[in-house]
Amino acid sequence: MTLLKSWIETANDPESPFPLNNLPFGVFSHKGSAPCCCTAIGDKVLDLGGMQRAGLLKPLGLTEPALNEFMEKGPQAWSGLRATLFGFLGAGSEAAGMVAPHLYPMDEVEMHMPFRVAEFTDFYAGRNHAFNVGTMFRGPENALPPNWLHIPIGYNGRASTVVVSGTDITRPVGQTKAPDADAPSFGPSKRLDIELEMGAVIGQPSTMGRPITVAEADAMIFGYVLLNDWSARDLQAWEYQPLGPFQAKAFATSISPWVVSRAALEPFRRPTPPREKELLPYLTESGPMLYDIDLSVSLLPKGRRTPTTICRTNYTEMYYSAAQQLTHHASSGCAMRVGDLLGSGTISGPEKDSYGSLLELTWGGKEPLEMVDGEERRFIEDGDTLTLHGHAQGNGYRIGFGDCTGTIRPAPSFP
């Protein structure tokens, strides 16, 4: 597919993350207006709620301050709205005069959480990351647990602390135990980290007690966001046995403001990697389920002007697709809901500069990273701003997600 031309000239820039090919969905407000659904086109935000109120769009729940009601309408409504927007925004459209009053400069709007998160599940489905972390703690011979090559491992996280890009993150406090200490202590995390992930947004529910196929799971996914699974490694090291992460990851998860639809990503589908162990039939994919999405992370220390890119990788590094993760999640009869969010797990490539966490990039803090201004980082310090970037590169166009950014604030005082 090539660039689809729009009468909005900035959408025709080959480096714009928001061409007509994209049309991601989000929630915005403008100068104090009530939040409602929107899409991005070039350097503009199109007020879908306003267009619905004006009778230009069917009643699809677009006046709501979250995408959930629209997602509930199902794939036919999703594709129908996309086709309608192509007609409104395409080059030569006779509707330009009707649409123009509902366009706002992107730098004048405030973006909000795009949907109400029903549940949040985070997976551990990147092989390079799992091998690296396992090697640090158990050695390369036992890096992957026995089940890892057979099922996408995950844990249930906290929906209540999923926040939109731009939200400051408070350094968590909790219990840690130094290797030479007899007892744990309580205080701010000293080994604060990121995890570069993609998030799958579930747009259709499943029924309790009924498993789903991988093809059905793929059709249930409304779209994808960038996702930063903030992690307190020292809290995690003390608490994770025997039940896995708890407070070390419950304090915050950041997502990008735009949900990019499956339809926009369709040209970028890629297969999952060859299997080292044959998967059970219920996890067999009916076609390519990953996407060719370039990803990177930058770190900007407090008071500095120039960020350092600390990681570059690609979503195709995942061992399990989001559809496989969703299928396994529902396989026991677990009911999935509209607004469920599935984190992919850390997306690390095979080389050090492609590792998706500071834990890997500094190998547990032993090998500090040097910033462009000469500072060093083993883990995240107060005032640091971490930003996830991502786009799929097409023929003369790209599909972007908007940045996923968070700045670390000091831990609260605690008696």
Side-chain angles (χ1 to χ4, degrees):
M1 180 179 287
T2 58
L3 174 69
L4 301 177
K5 291 295 186 73
S6 171
W7 54 268
I8 299 172
E9 286 301 322
T10 54
N12 301 326
D13 182 343
E15 295 188 1
S16 170
F18 305 120
L20 186 59
N21 306 63
N22 192 349
L23 299 180
F25 294 100
V27 169
F28 89 116
S29 60
H30 181 255
K31 297 183 178 180
S33 66
C36 68
C37 300
C38 63
T39 189
I41 179 74
D43 62 351
K44 301 291 192 296
V45 169
L46 178 60
D47 180 0
L48 299 180
M51 291 185 68
Q52 180 179 305
R53 284 189 290 268
L56 298 175
L57 297 174
K58 295 178 181 178
L60 294 171
L62 301 172
T63 59
E64 297 295 314
L67 290 166
N68 297 61
E69 185 173 330
F70 171 58
M71 292 192 292
E72 287 175 357
K73 303 292 184 184
Q76 187 172 350
W78 309 342
S79 60
L81 177 58
R82 185 172 170 84
T84 298
L85 293 176
F86 282 160
F88 280 137
L89 298 169
S93 171
E94 297 180 359
M98 295 186 292
V99 173
H102 301 285
L103 288 167
Y104 297 92
M106 194 168 288
D107 58 6
E108 291 184 5
V109 307
E110 179 182 358
M111 298 304 297
H112 303 274
M113 272 293 294
F115 61 99
R116 293 185 301 276
V117 181
E119 309 281 355
F120 171 49
T121 302
D122 191 44
F123 284 85
Y124 187 55
R127 193 192 189 289
N128 294 316
H129 174 71
F131 183 81
N132 290 338
V133 174
T135 297
M136 286 183 216
F137 294 104
R138 295 183 295 275
E141 300 82 6
N142 300 302
L144 297 179
N147 59 355
W148 199 93
L149 293 172
H150 297 276
I151 60 173
I153 299 172
Y155 69 93
N156 289 316
R158 291 291 301 176
S160 61
T161 45
V162 179
V163 296
V164 73
S165 173
T167 305
D168 289 347
I169 306 300
T170 301
R171 181 176 295 273
V173 295
Q175 277 198 28
T176 60
K177 183 180 178 298
D180 56 351
D182 294 329
S185 59
F186 187 84
S189 169
K190 297 177 181 178
R191 294 165 67 88
L192 187 58
D193 199 359
I194 61 159
E195 289 191 342
L196 168 58
E197 304 190 22
M198 296 292 298
V201 182
I202 309 307
Q204 288 289 276
S206 67
T207 302
M208 182 176 176
R210 179 186 175 274
I212 57 177
T213 66
V214 175
E216 288 173 329
D218 185 55
M220 288 168 58
I221 297 173
F222 175 70
Y224 292 82
V225 294
L226 303 179
L227 186 149
N228 184 352
D229 181 31
W230 302 93
S231 301
R233 301 300 185 186
D234 41 1
L235 275 63
Q236 186 176 358
W238 173 236
E239 73 179 6
Y240 84 101
Q241 294 184 12
L243 297 180
F246 183 35
Q247 297 296 76
K249 290 174 177 284
F251 63 96
T253 302
S254 299
I255 63 170
S256 54
W258 298 104
V259 183
V260 175
S261 68
R262 281 190 303 111
L265 292 172
E266 195 65 29
F268 306 98
R269 282 189 181 264
R270 299 293 185 272
T272 47
R275 299 298 161 192
E276 297 173 45
K277 302 280 187 180
E278 185 176 356
L279 296 177
L280 294 176
Y282 79 99
L283 287 173
T284 301
E285 295 168 299
S286 57
M289 295 288 178
L290 285 180
Y291 299 95
D292 181 6
I293 301 172
D294 290 324
L295 301 165
S296 64
V297 180
S298 62
L299 191 158
L300 179 65
K302 181 180 180 180
R304 304 294 185 176
R305 294 183 177 181
T306 305
T308 299
T309 297
I310 61 174
C311 161
R312 294 185 188 277
T313 186
N314 191 285
Y315 188 39
T316 54
E317 295 292 347
M318 297 306 300
Y319 193 79
Y320 295 99
S321 68
Q324 288 175 311
Q325 293 169 353
L326 178 55
T327 297
H328 182 66
H329 206 332
S331 63
S332 65
C334 171
M336 307 306 297
R337 300 196 290 175
V338 173
D340 279 353
L341 176 64
L342 305 185
S344 63
T346 306
I347 307 168
S348 293
E351 306 298 332
K352 185 172 182 178
D353 62 359
S354 65
Y355 294 166
S357 70
L358 284 164
L359 179 68
E360 298 167 87
L361 288 165
T362 69
W363 209 251
K366 298 176 182 177
E367 303 170 7
L369 286 176
E370 185 173 342
M371 304 291 104
V372 293
D373 56 17
E375 290 193 40
E376 289 187 344
R377 286 292 183 275
R378 286 176 168 82
F379 291 96
I380 303 170
E381 297 184 7
D382 290 349
D384 287 350
T385 297
L386 279 296
T387 303
L388 276 54
H389 314 267
H391 71 270
Q393 185 62 52
N395 180 16
Y397 73 98
R398 59 179 47 177
I399 302 295
F401 294 78
D403 293 343
C404 178
T405 296
T407 299
I408 299 301
R409 299 305 179 199
S413 58
F414 208 92

